[in-house]
Amino acid sequence: MRRLDQLLANLGYCSRSEARDWMRAGRVTVGGAPARDSGQRVAAGEVRIDGEPPDHPDGLLLLLHKPTGLVCSHDEREGPSVYSLLPERWRRRNPVVTSVGRLDKETSGALLLTDLPALVHRLTSPRHKVPKVYRATVDRDIPADLADLFAAGSLRLEGEEKPCAPAELRIIGPREALLTLTEGRYHQVRRMFAAAGSSVLTLHRESFGVLDLAGLGPRDWRTLPVDTFGPPD
Ligand code: URA
């Protein structure tokens, strides 16, 4: 049970003070009757707003096909962000909708967004080892033995002590490969190839765990059940 004004505010409908105006205007009902008390405790299931049930009251989880050119940041100074692709109301939710890890501005592909902080924590924790598959094109031919180096679990990135966890590299063209990582270090794919003397030219994340982008064009997203990765914490 939550305060009615808090429910509306947290789901991004309006501020808590505006909630009173919405009620006076008859836009909110509880159990079929017009709501009068903005402080009353309600279950989301009994609330209607303009006749509609509340929007994803138990949390939002989305799979976005991130295009290149957008950043995964809420700081407007960093440029246009992936959040600009979402409906206005979702951008006003509290907790805020945030990405599960980040993709670089020039990386495209599968990106999860959620307003469930515990889920972000769970999915980015190295303990959970969620496999993520990246398709990279690079500026020179990929040596066949690079797969062994990445798989060995001994590759150290510049400035880091701890070696990268074993990663699977599948070379699919002279300068193109699929790389499966279970970690999410800063610029990890680009830095792994840099450690081997190559620059990444294009980078696309094909999948995140069992989720891939089938049916989603760049900029498109689809909502997922919040228990996609198991019961909420
Ligand atoms: N590794 C990178 O280098 N960049 C990304 O965006 C994701 C993984």
Side-chain angles (χ1 to χ4, degrees):
M1 302 282 268
R2 284 184 261 183
R3 275 181 66 111
L4 181 54
D5 53 0
Q6 201 151 44
L7 178 84
L8 295 183
N10 289 353
L11 300 183
Y13 285 91
C14 56
S15 68
R16 280 175 69 178
S17 56
E18 285 164 347
R20 276 191 294 276
D21 301 333
W22 282 42
M23 289 176 208
R24 259 184 237 120
R27 299 179 67 181
V28 186
T29 60
V30 177
R36 305 247 172 264
D37 173 8
S38 61
Q40 79 179 102
R41 296 196 168 266
V42 293
E46 57 184 350
V47 175
R48 295 289 177 273
I49 305 146
D50 294 330
E52 299 289 331
D55 186 9
H56 293 86
D58 301 321
L60 203 52
L61 176 63
L62 322 168
L63 176 65
L64 170 72
H65 184 160
K66 178 193 177 295
T68 57
L70 297 182
V71 295
C72 296
S73 167
H74 286 101
D75 183 345
E76 286 174 7
R77 291 169 301 185
E78 293 186 33
S81 84
V82 291
Y83 305 108
S84 66
L85 300 175
L86 302 184
E88 270 297 317
R89 191 200 298 140
W90 289 0
R91 295 162 63 185
R92 292 193 299 262
R93 285 174 74 109
N94 179 19
V96 289
V97 176
T98 183
S99 63
V100 174
R102 289 185 175 203
L103 292 177
D104 302 334
K105 185 173 182 184
E106 292 316 324
T107 301
S108 58
L111 181 69
L112 285 174
L113 302 175
T114 184
D115 65 351
L116 297 165
L119 190 59
V120 176
H121 189 253
R122 169 139 53 102
L123 294 175
T124 53
S125 152
R127 277 190 307 126
H128 281 91
K129 297 195 178 9
V130 180
K132 284 145 289 205
V133 180
Y134 295 88
R135 178 183 291 262
T137 60
V138 296
D139 67 341
R140 64 198 62 200
D141 290 359
I142 302 171
D145 59 2
L146 194 59
D148 296 334
L149 177 65
F150 285 178
S154 56
L155 180 72
R156 281 185 45 205
L157 300 178
E158 203 177 312
E160 290 190 25
E161 279 300 313
K162 195 170 173 240
C164 293
E168 186 192 320
L169 182 73
R170 192 150 69 83
I171 299 171
I172 54 175
R175 298 182 179 199
E176 187 170 19
L178 294 174
L179 178 60
T180 305
L181 301 184
T182 54
E183 306 176 291
R185 302 190 194 191
Y186 181 66
H187 291 334
Q188 184 164 352
V189 175
R190 295 176 202 274
R191 291 165 73 212
M192 286 176 75
F193 278 102
S198 307
S199 291
V200 169
L201 302 177
T202 65
L203 186 57
H204 176 80
R205 184 154 73 190
E206 305 233 312
S207 58
F208 186 107
V210 295
L211 302 170
D212 64 30
L213 292 169
L216 284 183
R219 308 174 75 88
D220 290 345
W221 43 261
R222 64 184 156 92
T223 55
L224 304 168
V226 290
D227 61 359
T228 296
F229 295 93
D233 297 320

